[in-house]
Amino acid sequence: MDRYRPTDEPAPAPPVPSPDEVDPAVLGALLARHGWRRRGGAAGRYARWTPPGDPSGGTSLLVPESREFPDSGDLLGEAVTALARSAAPSAREVLIGLAVPSDEVRWRREVPEPRSGAAAWSAQERLSAAARATLLAGALAARGRAGYHGARHRREAEASLEHILVGPPGPGGRELTVFVPVEHGRAVTGTLLRALHALRDAVDYQRTTGGQEAFDAAVEAGVSRELTEAVVSLVEGTEGARVALEWSPGAGPPAGVAARPEPVDFSPGDLPALREAGARYVRSEPAVPVRVTGAVVRLRRTGPGGPGTVRLRVLTGADVAQVRVALGEDDYRIAVHAHLVGLPIRVSGRLESRGGFRRITGARDVTPVRVDEADRDRLLKSLREHLDGADCFEEPCAGPEEEHGDGRLEP
């Protein structure tokens, strides 16, 4: 299954399901969803479908109403083969929906017709980036509610998007459809749907009353700084944007959710409220007390003595990949010696929201953590792989204030 790909990569051929695995009712529902027209057929036996943009009816599929008839298998095989050979974008989308039961998320941006190929490519890139950011916000919220996630849960959220399939972009970078497999992503789509509707309601409340309290309540529905930023990116430079979700016809909707959810629309007039809410989420998200165990991957101080800064690859204690910790002279020496002998350290402090929850302040109780020989070998191997090809201990994900060090390891 394909990862979420940049729009400049060629789309691979869609998966082709076995005709024996195709449910005629699901195939009919997908054809209708993607704009195919039903144009008669033998009542009660099969229906004739023609693709969108083919008013003459020259191309058609015969789809049986059920598998009860002797020729139903042959008709389904012919229909699947015709879809695989068709150049119509809708045919590819139908095949994806058949092969991988998926919820479909659609984005649409109301933008002028691009005047050049470069402008169309730029519009597609912007739409793709906004769509991915929206999905990532939903994946983060599915793992825990927060007004500002920062780096927390990001690895797991990004990994959950690896199974997503991307449909062909619409003309002019206006439309994009993403297929989220039910098996891996139903929690993401369900959370995203609730969050988008809650965000729409909170924006309406703020624009009507001037109050921000609806954004506070919306956090429990999955709204966050990450989601407001994604919607801002989607809407900027447009006359309006829409996000719509359709459940997999094979799996059906989740319990207690509308079978046909209403799409959510945003306009340029919503941008001030969205930006203000995003800034508010960052300001109000508190620091988190933590006790982190991590492997030292970078050490830095400005002289042979005094305090220094270490970067830890987090093993346990916080839902982030790495953190930066400022240590006093004695604690810094402990971290150096632990690094030299291949031991992780444990440190207590507060995980600060500033910088995306990548910094521990008020560090104390710095202690090397004893591990058995096998765990120590695995840790050293992991550190060597992590630093392979690097000239110093400086991490590529360092913040702007950290990118100017010389990377020396000071004992």
Side-chain angles (χ1 to χ4, degrees):
M1 207 174 297
D2 307 323
R3 291 174 180 267
Y4 193 109
R5 299 170 290 100
T7 56
D8 57 345
E9 293 185 17
V16 180
S18 167
D20 295 336
E21 301 172 350
V22 175
D23 183 335
V26 172
L27 176 54
L30 288 169
L31 290 169
R33 173 179 295 180
H34 292 281
W36 288 62
R37 299 285 301 276
R38 182 169 179 163
R39 297 182 180 275
R45 290 183 60 88
Y46 63 83
R48 184 178 297 277
W49 295 84
T50 58
D54 186 9
S56 66
T59 302
S60 65
L61 304 178
L62 291 180
V63 179
E65 297 286 352
S66 71
R67 286 187 170 272
E68 295 178 358
F69 306 104
D71 62 345
S72 61
D74 294 336
L75 290 177
L76 288 170
E78 292 170 2
V80 169
T81 300
L83 287 170
R85 293 174 177 173
S86 174
S90 59
R92 182 180 190 273
E93 294 178 341
V94 171
L95 283 176
I96 292 174
L98 284 175
V100 186
S102 304
D103 298 328
E104 299 180 25
V105 187
R106 302 175 184 278
W107 289 262
R108 179 173 177 82
R109 303 176 80 233
E110 299 296 339
V111 293
E113 180 70 29
R115 297 183 177 181
S116 67
W121 180 86
S122 178
Q124 290 176 8
E125 286 289 293
R126 181 156 193 171
L127 177 55
S128 179
R132 179 173 176 80
T134 307
L135 288 170
L136 182 60
L140 287 166
R143 281 154 180 76
R145 303 296 197 258
Y148 176 44
H149 295 278
R152 294 177 294 175
H153 300 291
R154 188 165 291 267
R155 284 182 298 183
E156 296 84 352
E158 290 177 341
S160 71
L161 303 183
E162 291 183 351
H163 299 280
I164 286 172
L165 296 169
V166 185
R174 293 188 183 91
E175 294 184 359
L176 184 68
T177 301
V178 168
F179 298 82
V180 185
V182 172
E183 180 182 359
H184 302 283
R186 176 52 66 88
V188 174
T189 52
T191 301
L192 180 60
L193 178 66
R194 289 188 292 272
L196 286 169
H197 281 283
L199 181 60
R200 178 68 267 170
D201 292 343
V203 170
D204 290 340
Y205 182 87
Q206 194 276 340
R207 294 187 66 179
T208 302
T209 68
Q212 290 280 332
E213 52 269 30
F215 285 107
D216 298 334
V219 171
E220 286 304 312
V223 177
S224 64
R225 160 66 177 267
E226 285 75 12
L227 183 60
T228 61
E229 285 187 323
V231 175
V232 166
S233 178
L234 181 68
V235 174
E236 279 183 327
T238 74
E239 297 176 1
R242 165 174 288 193
V243 185
L245 190 149
E246 294 180 298
W247 306 114
S248 163
V257 179
R260 292 183 175 83
E262 290 291 326
V264 187
D265 294 287
F266 295 94
S267 71
D270 298 326
L271 291 174
L274 290 167
R275 293 191 180 104
E276 185 178 352
R280 175 186 173 89
Y281 283 140
V282 174
R283 292 194 304 267
S284 60
E285 190 66 22
V288 182
V290 292
R291 185 168 175 79
V292 168
T293 300
V296 178
V297 295
R298 179 179 181 271
L299 299 110
R300 178 180 179 271
R301 63 180 176 182
T302 56
T309 300
V310 302
R311 181 177 290 277
L312 303 180
R313 181 168 62 84
V314 176
L315 303 176
T316 61
D319 297 312
V320 296
Q322 297 187 7
V323 292
R324 180 173 179 261
V325 190
L327 300 175
E329 182 172 6
D330 292 340
D331 287 338
Y332 183 82
R333 288 184 179 276
I334 291 173
V336 169
H337 289 299
H339 172 75
L340 291 174
V341 298
L343 292 177
I345 63 172
R346 182 174 293 127
V347 57
S348 298
R350 295 183 66 80
L351 190 62
E352 291 286 341
S353 62
R354 186 168 66 90
F357 293 96
R358 294 185 176 91
R359 183 194 310 268
I360 292 178
T361 60
R364 63 186 186 281
D365 303 330
V366 177
T367 310
V369 178
R370 293 291 176 185
V371 295
D372 62 37
E373 197 64 27
D375 287 338
R376 182 174 179 274
D377 289 344
R378 281 194 293 269
L379 176 62
L380 289 172
K381 183 174 183 291
S382 174
L383 286 175
R384 282 194 294 269
E385 292 173 350
H386 184 71
L387 297 172
D388 186 34
D391 295 325
C392 65
F393 288 105
E394 183 68 49
E395 289 300 306
C397 63
E401 75 280 9
E402 301 169 53
E403 295 178 350
H404 57 271
D406 58 11
R408 291 179 299 161
L409 188 154
E410 299 285 359

